[in-house]
Amino acid sequence: MKYTQIPQDTFKNIQLNAGVLLKEFVPDTGTLKATDILGATSGGANFTATPSFIDFGEDIDNCPANMMELKVLDGWEAKMSGTFVTVTAGLAVKLTGAADESGGKITPRNELKASDFADLWWVGDYSAVNEDGSEGASAGFCAIRLLNSLSTGGFQIQSSKKGKGQFAFEFTGHYSMKKPETVPFEIYIKEGTEVAA
């Protein structure tokens, strides 16, 4: 059974549990503030980052498809999706995408504002060592930062008899003219560290 094995450090390098969606996160310290949690979710979160390519050789006679020297990475589409099972007026505004709130009333708009775009963080437990240090410095985590995110899935609610309302979401990261070379997502992986007894 030479090839029926798993790496010996599997539990050290495994992502655990559903994670949380946050407005802010400080990866240098692992700091997580309860006030930054957007809401309770069901079924975890799904993140995808899909590259888009241009093949400049596709219309050249006698040139095979996918010639690496003629392929250019055109950009990335990064999305975070899932389902919230709690909602606040602030989250409803974020889910609507282009909207304003006053006294609990959410009013959609037909135009986007710069303030509609905001970073979104997903942070999940990572590694066998995952302590509750006061500032989170010893905790292992896997984090994804979706830059300039905007709700592109619209506002959705699915209610059910004797059940919880579910608010499906989809956020898309966006490039910015201020830094067009910056890809709209980042990934952080930090192993946990043993806390001295």
Side-chain angles (χ1 to χ4, degrees), residues 21-175:
L21 287 161
L22 305 168
K23 293 182 279 188
E24 297 285 342
F25 181 66
V26 182
D28 290 343
T29 63
T31 300
L32 185 154
K33 295 179 185 175
T35 53
D36 285 333
I37 299 174
L38 288 172
T41 57
S42 177
N46 180 52
F47 173 77
T48 59
T50 307
S52 173
F53 298 99
I54 298 172
D55 185 351
F56 283 107
E58 68 181 357
D59 62 348
I60 298 176
D61 293 341
N62 304 318
C63 181
N66 295 319
M67 183 73 71
M68 70 178 191
E69 291 85 357
L70 297 176
K71 198 151 192 171
V72 174
L73 180 56
D74 187 43
W76 290 85
E77 183 175 69
K79 292 182 178 288
M80 184 81 69
S81 61
T83 303
F84 284 111
V85 291
T86 59
V87 68
T88 62
L91 180 55
V93 169
K94 191 169 186 66
L95 292 173
T96 304
D100 299 305
E101 185 267 337
S102 177
K105 177 184 177 183
I106 290 81
T107 306
R109 285 185 262 103
N110 283 322
E111 70 281 340
L112 287 171
K113 296 180 179 178
S115 58
D116 295 328
F117 297 85
D119 290 355
L120 176 69
W121 287 86
W122 171 85
V123 184
D125 296 327
Y126 176 78
S127 84
V129 181
N130 201 295
E131 298 296 329
D132 291 330
S134 60
E135 293 297 320
S138 61
F141 62 81
C142 179
I144 297 169
R145 179 185 181 192
L146 190 62
L147 281 70
N148 307 313
S149 79
L150 178 73
S151 173
T152 51
F155 183 88
Q156 304 178 46
I157 180 172
Q158 176 62 59
S159 62
S160 62
K161 181 179 180 181
K162 298 182 181 179
K164 300 179 291 293
Q166 298 193 8
F167 301 83
F169 65 84
E170 178 187 80
F171 291 97
T172 301
H174 290 78
Y175 287 84

